[in-house]
């Protein structure tokens, strides 16, 4: 019997706390900022998911936890260059969406929602580029270090020979 193929697997870590905090945040959100932040977070993850599928040709697994979303690699080994591309995809989506919103503002009247959307994307993209463990910036920074170290070692060995 054939195994059913799934497009996207979603797992919820600590489901009681995650869903409680999500419900609480949405319940007290009278301005719509939380919903806008969640939209920007989902678009951010879509960038990672698209690059994941292009790099691995495997269906992705998305983890939802109280601290946010993350892509589960499930033991797939990626090269440092692929890791950098995968990690940069989410912030790139946020920064492109923010730039698109700014471009839209140049020819149209401003609205609070659009300004909040631009700000949320800028903040999420910039925050995720910080080299803090668990964020995209950490993955980019550590894999750039691996690539840089490898290139230095390769250059040293080629000079010796």
């Amino acid at each position: 019997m054939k195994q059913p193929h799934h497009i996207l697997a979603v797992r919820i870590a600590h489901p009681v706390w995650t869903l409680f905090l999500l419900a609480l945040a949405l319940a007290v959100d009278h301005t719509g900022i939380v919903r806008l932040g969640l939209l920007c977070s989902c678009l951010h993850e879509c960038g990672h998911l698209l690059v994941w599928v292009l790099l691995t040709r495997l269906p992705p697994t998305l983890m939802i936890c109280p601290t946010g979303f993350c892509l589960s690699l499930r033991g797939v080994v990626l090269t440092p260059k692929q890791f950098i591309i995968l990690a940069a995809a989410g912030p790139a989506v946020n920064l492109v969406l923010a730039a698109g919103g700014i471009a839209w503002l140049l020819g149209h009247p401003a609205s609070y929602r659009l300004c909040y959307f631009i700000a949320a994307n800028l903040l999420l993209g910039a925050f995720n580029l910080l080299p803090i463990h668990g964020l995209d910036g950490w993955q980019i920074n550590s894999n750039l270090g691996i690539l840089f170290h490898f290139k230095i070692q390769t250059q040293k060995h080629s000079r010796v020979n």
Side-chain angles (χ1 to χ4, degrees):
M1 182 196 269
K2 271 185 152 179
Q3 290 281 21
H5 294 321
H6 64 275
I7 296 172
L8 171 69
V10 178
R11 300 188 193 279
I12 300 177
H14 312 290
V16 173
W17 283 110
T18 301
L19 296 175
F20 171 76
L21 291 173
L22 182 60
L24 180 66
L26 290 171
V28 299
D29 179 33
H30 301 294
T31 61
I33 296 294
V34 172
R35 290 187 299 265
L36 199 55
L38 285 171
L39 172 65
C40 293
S41 295
C42 288
L43 293 170
H44 174 98
E45 290 304 320
C46 284
H48 291 306
L49 295 174
L50 177 63
V51 170
W52 172 264
V53 170
L54 292 174
L55 289 175
T56 66
R57 305 281 190 239
L58 296 171
T61 300
L62 188 64
M63 295 290 296
I64 301 173
C65 59
T67 56
F69 301 106
C70 70
L71 184 64
S72 173
L73 300 181
R74 295 176 300 158
V76 174
V77 178
L78 298 174
T79 66
K81 187 185 246 183
Q82 289 175 321
F83 253 118
I84 292 167
I85 294 168
L86 181 62
V93 166
N94 291 123
L95 298 176
V96 166
L97 288 171
I102 292 169
W104 177 266
L105 278 178
L106 296 176
H108 297 84
S111 71
Y112 284 113
R113 290 261 184 225
L114 181 57
C115 290
Y116 290 154
F117 180 76
I118 292 167
N121 274 298
L122 283 174
L123 287 170
L124 186 62
F127 179 76
N128 270 281
L129 286 174
L130 293 174
I132 298 171
H133 187 68
L135 297 180
D136 297 326
W138 177 269
Q139 293 293 333
I140 294 169
N141 192 33
S142 61
N143 283 288
L144 277 174
I146 292 169
L147 277 177
F148 186 67
H149 180 72
F150 178 73
K151 286 182 182 178
I152 290 174
Q153 293 299 323
T154 308
Q155 289 173 354
K156 284 181 181 176
H157 288 297
S158 64
R159 287 182 191 159
V160 171
N161 296 332

